[in-house]
Amino acid sequence: MKTDIILAGVGGQGILTIAAVIGFASLHEKLFIKQSEVHGMSQRGGAVQSHLRISSDPVSSDLIPLGRASLILSVEPMEALRYLPYLSKDGWVITSVVPFVNISDYPDMTMIENSIIKIANHILLDAEKVAKECGSPKSSNIVMLGAASGHVDLSFEALRKGVEMVFGRKGQDMVDANLRALDAGKTFSR
Amino acid sequence: MRQIYLKTIVGKKNYGYFCDGQHNLGCLFNSIKEIMGQLVLLGAEAIAQGALDAGMSGIYAYPGTPSTEITEYVQRNKYARDNGIRSSWSANEKTALESALGMSYAGKKSMVCMKHVGLNVAADGFLNSAITGAGGGFIVTVADDPSMHSSQNEQDSRFYADFALLPVFEPSSQQEAYDMVFSAFTLSEKFGIPVMMRITTRLSHSRASITTLSPRSQNALKLPEDPRQFVLLPSIARKRYKMLLGIQNQLITESDKSGYNSFEPGTDHSLGIIACGIACNYVKENFPGGLPYPMLKICQYPAPEELIRKMAVECKTILVLEEGYPLLESKLKGLLNNTNLTIKGRLDGTLPRDGELTPDIVGLALGCKVALGPDIPEFLANRPPSMCKGCGHIDTFLALKEAISEFGGDRTFSDIGCYTLAALPPLDAVNSCVDMGASITMAKGAADAGLIPAVAFIGDSTFTHSGMTGLLDAINEDSPITVIISDNETTGMTGGQTSAAFGKLEGICRGLGVPEEHLKIITPLKKNQEPNVDVISRELKHPGISVIISRRECIQTAIKRKKEEKSRKTEP
């Protein structure tokens, strides 16, 4: 088994938290992982991505080769498009449609949505709305993970364990809120 | 087969997992130890854990991406705190290196960490420490940043080690990063010399599981047997230098025998591959079914000459893959002294001359097909980093821009920090960013040339790193420059580390000799725009040195601090 995931977003949107949850879940299932992150200057509101590689065999490269990612999971619609050359032929693009506009030349949303819809396998959802509706307004990122849960090759139970481990030290309320977000996101998974 | 990850937890040590203060993920020390007993670390953190397990007594550093996480890991490690492992931030890389050398003089194992350009600052100490040699194991860890993700150049630190005639360990994995710290301390103590650990951004900022080794104890205090070893008077230095030259062949033998350097035979001898550091991972990535060509993996330097000669006997065409400059590639021709050989790499255009390697770049060089996904739509906009909303630097720049408008021209010399982003729209407010501290000295030089007034814009931490001496030059000549110290009371860009300048700026400026009437303090807030413009205008018109300290806490640091205060209040 081998899954290569590109996590995408803007600095501060919580993609490294998604990575941590998937990382814990992978270890729970006794798999090998390598996870490359962006630290430093780009975190100041710039485009950030993380290469997450999960495998039953040891992983060589910290970076995913072009055209090999089975999933681009993004918390921001334009950022989902930035990494398309990494997407494999039958790969999935799963992204929130809520734009993060911190630049003056942010493109037209219709063009962005049309480009995503052109990818055969895609899931689009308003993660912010879903997060609010399930009473966890700060958990858009975990909603997105729930929506992608069918494409990470990990059991949902393992992902729940991952959420418990990542948020456990912040108290049971935080764990519950994020589990609700994970469950709410899962209803969009297909 | 799935590998068993479980490892035995050694003693009472706590291990960090996915812990990253920078992202407020915090440390999950206890939970991960109790639940999984596993270690998943960034390459940088693996070095830190390796150093703790190998018996390091102190780590010295100035923050700099991609090296910061090494020291931060030690700072928040419970074992390190309980055992008094020294880990506070130093004022700059030079003071850090010299302090680490002092600890080594006293017989203890020490490490100094920096980003690649930090080694320029510490170069004097580094090159001369090769001549003094070390006492206790002494590791100089340098994190290079090919492709300049967060840096002003992509210099390759292996050249410094080559220049200094010192060995280098360049890990290809997080596990090697951990293991090599043990090997580097051993090699350092065996030959009595400093040893470099060189990593690059990718490994530093990528996580994987690692297995730990049995811990070693710290060294006892022990002075050098020769009391003059560290006295580099010419007569002594000449002897020490000859000693350094004398061990070079032994260091090459160490590399030839090293477990980190390996020759993997292949069936197709039309090409031989020499892959340094993480480049060998990219080769393997492209040949999941096994590599047909012989490959020499090099992760310890000086270059293993015997292994390289073996490759030259087997293959007449050799591809050299290096994450950085073509160091080995350019040495190969001389080393092998054989015109029948074809050496491929960055110099002949097989690989790009600049930038970091990727599995795709290496794959293309090896004739593999790249499976490109869909194109990026043309309308996609860049999203460069920007200063945070509400940042004090912004208000300082807005006041400066208004005040300086009557003089016109590009006359603001900036420095290295978040505020360098003011070079981009919408602020477009600064005209230089060269090296730590260069704002003040470049402003002085420009004023000497007649650009009056000239402005220097520098952060608090950068000022104590390398701005103070330049300010002294300007004071001694009463240069007509206005130095704005934008004091956010932290080292912001690298994630909010303690600033050595905290609470000391006025004292430093007065002590250096800034006249009291031209030392001003302002608070950069929107509501203060008008008075702040007034202060800056008046100082710009002053025909001598002025310093304006513009002070407001970094909003990221403020948020973090308030969160911590809140959690302290709610916890009993």
Side-chain angles (χ1 to χ4, degrees):
Chain A
M1 160 280 160
K2 191 170 164 230
T3 309
D4 287 333
I5 304 169
I6 298 227
L7 299 171
V10 180
Q13 282 194 309
I15 69 160
L16 291 178
T17 307
I18 301 180
V21 173
I22 299 178
F24 269 118
S26 312
L27 293 178
H28 187 74
E29 300 211 336
K30 306 262 186 293
L31 296 164
F32 288 90
I33 60 160
K34 269 197 178 175
Q35 181 213 321
S36 167
E37 303 174 355
V38 172
H39 292 197
M41 211 170 193
S42 311
Q43 285 180 288
R44 302 273 169 267
V48 292
Q49 97 285 351
S50 170
H51 287 216
L52 188 49
R53 315 195 74 187
I54 310 166
S55 173
S56 47
D57 296 304
V59 180
S60 301
S61 165
D62 297 275
L63 293 174
I64 299 169
L66 291 165
R68 301 280 174 78
S70 52
L71 169 64
I72 293 176
L73 173 55
S74 180
V75 285
E76 207 280 345
M78 182 175 77
E79 294 307 321
L81 299 173
R82 198 179 298 283
Y83 308 101
L84 282 183
Y86 285 95
L87 193 66
S88 67
K89 233 174 41 213
D90 43 8
W92 283 76
V93 175
I94 300 176
T95 181
S96 173
V97 293
V98 186
F100 187 96
V101 184
N102 63 345
I103 47 173
S104 56
D105 54 348
Y106 195 94
D108 178 57
M109 259 315 284
T110 327
M111 294 204 302
I112 291 176
E113 282 190 25
N114 285 342
S115 297
I116 296 167
I117 289 164
K118 261 195 240 156
I119 308 295
N121 299 321
H122 65 266
I123 299 174
L124 287 168
L125 69 149
D126 185 333
E128 226 170 83
K129 189 165 148 243
V130 176
K132 267 183 208 146
E133 280 170 3
C134 71
S136 316
K138 285 184 175 169
S139 304
S140 297
N141 55 344
I142 301 300
V143 167
M144 287 314 302
L145 175 57
S149 56
H151 301 282
V152 291
D153 269 343
L154 295 166
S155 71
F156 196 69
E157 206 34 55
L159 290 176
R160 289 182 64 96
K161 266 252 146 41
V163 167
E164 281 168 19
M165 287 168 130
V166 168
F167 295 99
R169 82 210 149 84
K170 292 185 177 172
Q172 195 54 42
D173 288 356
M174 279 292 276
V175 172
D176 292 342
N178 282 287
L179 285 176
R180 278 200 306 278
L182 190 72
D183 290 340
K186 185 174 184 260
T187 60
F188 292 86
S189 179
R190 52 188 174 87
Chain B
M1 200 192 82
R2 291 181 183 188
Q3 192 202 4
I4 309 287
Y5 284 93
L6 295 175
K7 59 164 225 58
T8 318
I9 296 296
V10 186
K12 285 182 180 171
K13 289 184 184 182
N14 270 318
Y15 292 112
Y17 175 82
F18 286 121
C19 39
D20 212 313
Q22 256 189 301
H23 312 107
N24 296 321
L25 280 178
C27 316
L28 304 171
F29 291 128
N30 295 318
S31 60
I32 187 59
K33 191 184 83 174
E34 282 157 19
I35 300 165
M36 287 184 166
Q38 297 177 30
L39 256 182
V40 175
L41 299 178
L42 294 175
E45 295 171 340
I47 290 176
Q49 186 63 55
L52 290 172
D53 289 347
M56 174 186 75
S57 298
I59 190 164
Y60 295 83
Y62 181 81
T65 313
S67 71
T68 315
E69 295 82 356
I70 305 169
T71 307
E72 285 185 326
Y73 185 91
V74 176
Q75 288 175 345
R76 63 172 178 251
N77 184 276
K78 189 174 180 303
Y79 163 84
R81 278 200 307 269
D82 291 350
N83 288 275
I85 308 295
R86 191 268 166 219
S87 66
S88 313
W89 295 108
S90 302
N92 67 34
E93 293 86 355
K94 181 176 184 284
T95 66
L97 185 135
E98 292 154 353
S99 304
L101 182 63
M103 184 172 271
S104 166
Y105 171 96
K108 302 214 175 179
K109 284 175 268 192
S110 67
M111 183 183 276
V112 56
C113 303
M114 62 199 77
K115 69 182 294 175
H116 56 333
V117 286
L119 187 52
N120 297 331
V121 178
D124 199 0
F126 176 68
L127 286 158
N128 288 312
S129 71
I131 314 293
T132 64
F138 177 36
I139 301 178
V140 180
T141 301
V142 193
D144 290 356
D145 188 20
S147 281
M148 306 177 223
H149 299 281
S150 293
S151 309
Q152 67 270 44
N153 76 26
E154 58 173 29
Q155 65 186 58
D156 185 332
S157 299
R158 295 176 306 160
F159 277 82
Y160 265 115
D162 191 56
F163 189 19
L165 301 169
L166 292 176
V168 181
F169 287 90
E170 185 187 12
S172 69
S173 66
Q174 291 77 358
Q175 184 66 55
E176 275 189 349
Y178 174 87
D179 296 341
M180 279 177 171
V181 181
F182 283 71
S183 309
F185 275 134
T186 304
L187 191 72
S188 170
E189 293 189 346
K190 180 175 174 184
F191 288 96
I193 49 169
V195 171
M196 179 187 282
M197 281 273 297
R198 185 239 186 188
I199 52 170
T200 56
T201 308
R202 275 311 148 195
L203 183 63
S204 182
H205 289 170
S206 175
R207 295 176 194 282
S209 265
I210 66 154
T211 308
T212 55
L213 299 167
S214 322
R216 293 182 186 165
S217 50
Q218 293 182 47
N219 291 355
L221 200 68
K222 180 177 175 283
L223 297 184
E225 278 163 27
D226 173 4
R228 290 194 176 145
Q229 179 191 333
F230 285 78
V231 187
L232 295 187
L233 281 168
S235 59
I236 301 168
R238 278 181 215 115
K239 275 186 218 143
R240 295 282 321 168
Y241 183 50
K242 278 198 201 301
M243 282 167 69
L244 180 63
L245 290 170
I247 60 169
Q248 292 304 306
N249 281 335
Q250 287 167 266
L251 293 175
I252 293 168
T253 308
E254 289 281 339
S255 291
D256 271 315
K257 289 192 301 196
S258 165
Y260 303 117
N261 296 337
S262 59
F263 192 98
E264 295 166 28
T267 49
D268 183 347
H269 287 210
S270 63
L271 180 72
I273 300 169
I274 296 181
C276 303
I278 61 171
C280 64
N281 302 338
Y282 299 146
V283 175
K284 284 184 194 148
E285 184 70 33
N286 279 285
F287 294 92
L291 182 67
Y293 312 112
M295 178 164 84
L296 171 56
K297 164 182 176 274
I298 297 183
C299 292
Q300 183 178 336
Y301 310 79
E305 294 187 0
E306 204 174 300
L307 291 173
I308 290 172
R309 284 200 189 92
K310 181 176 155 76
M311 177 63 84
V313 168
E314 292 201 5
C315 305
K316 292 299 147 210
T317 303
I318 297 174
L319 172 65
V320 188
L321 301 168
E322 299 174 85
E323 179 80 323
Y325 289 8
L327 170 68
L328 198 62
E329 188 184 344
S330 51
K331 283 195 160 201
L332 271 194
K333 282 200 171 171
L335 180 68
L336 297 169
N337 193 19
N338 183 341
T339 46
N340 295 325
L341 280 176
T342 307
I343 310 286
K344 294 175 145 190
R346 290 193 187 267
L347 291 172
D348 78 331
T350 305
L351 294 159
R353 183 63 178 77
D354 62 341
E356 67 178 338
L357 297 176
T358 67
D360 309 299
I361 288 172
V362 169
L364 283 173
L366 288 164
C368 301
K369 251 194 173 162
V370 171
L372 209 56
D375 288 337
I376 301 169
E378 273 177 22
F379 60 76
L380 197 87
N382 278 332
R383 199 191 299 264
S386 54
M387 280 185 269
C388 309
K389 215 174 149 196
C391 170
H393 292 315
I394 297 176
D395 291 318
T396 309
F397 277 120
L398 291 176
L400 171 63
K401 277 191 82 156
E402 193 178 328
I404 210 170
S405 59
E406 65 178 290
F407 299 98
D410 296 330
R411 57 179 77 236
T412 303
F413 298 87
S414 184
D415 228 292
I416 296 181
C418 291
Y419 48 89
T420 316
L421 294 167
L424 306 173
L427 281 169
D428 285 316
V430 304
N431 309 110
S432 78
C433 159
V434 180
D435 66 64
M436 296 287 280
S439 59
I440 298 176
T441 29
M442 282 185 73
K444 183 193 181 301
D448 291 343
L451 185 68
I452 298 171
V455 177
F457 198 102
I458 186 168
D460 50 319
S461 181
T462 307
F463 176 71
T464 44
H465 178 291
S466 286
M468 297 187 289
T469 45
L471 180 59
L472 184 59
D473 279 352
I475 290 165
N476 286 344
E477 290 186 50
D478 200 19
S479 302
I481 66 171
T482 301
V483 177
I484 296 177
I485 305 178
S486 194
D487 179 13
N488 61 3
E489 305 186 310
T490 189
T491 313
M493 196 167 67
T494 46
Q497 293 77 19
T498 313
S499 165
F502 186 74
K504 298 191 172 70
L505 286 177
E506 290 90 325
I508 291 170
C509 291
R510 284 193 190 105
L512 288 172
V514 177
E516 197 59 41
E517 62 278 23
H518 295 292
L519 176 61
K520 306 286 181 193
I521 321 285
I522 61 174
T523 305
L525 283 167
K526 259 197 191 72
K527 62 172 186 185
N528 294 347
Q529 169 83 0
E530 210 176 307
N532 289 350
V533 171
D534 274 356
V535 171
I536 299 172
S537 282
R538 255 180 285 130
E539 296 311 322
L540 287 174
K541 282 173 196 134
H542 168 60
I545 181 79
S546 307
V547 174
I548 300 168
I549 299 170
S550 182
R551 177 175 297 137
R552 178 151 70 81
E553 186 181 12
C554 163
I555 61 158
Q556 297 291 347
T557 313
I559 292 167
K560 223 194 299 179
R561 185 174 51 77
K562 277 172 193 158
K563 258 191 198 160
E564 277 164 19
E565 283 170 5
K566 200 177 149 195
S567 73
R568 241 179 277 136
K569 264 184 207 161
T570 50
E571 276 166 27

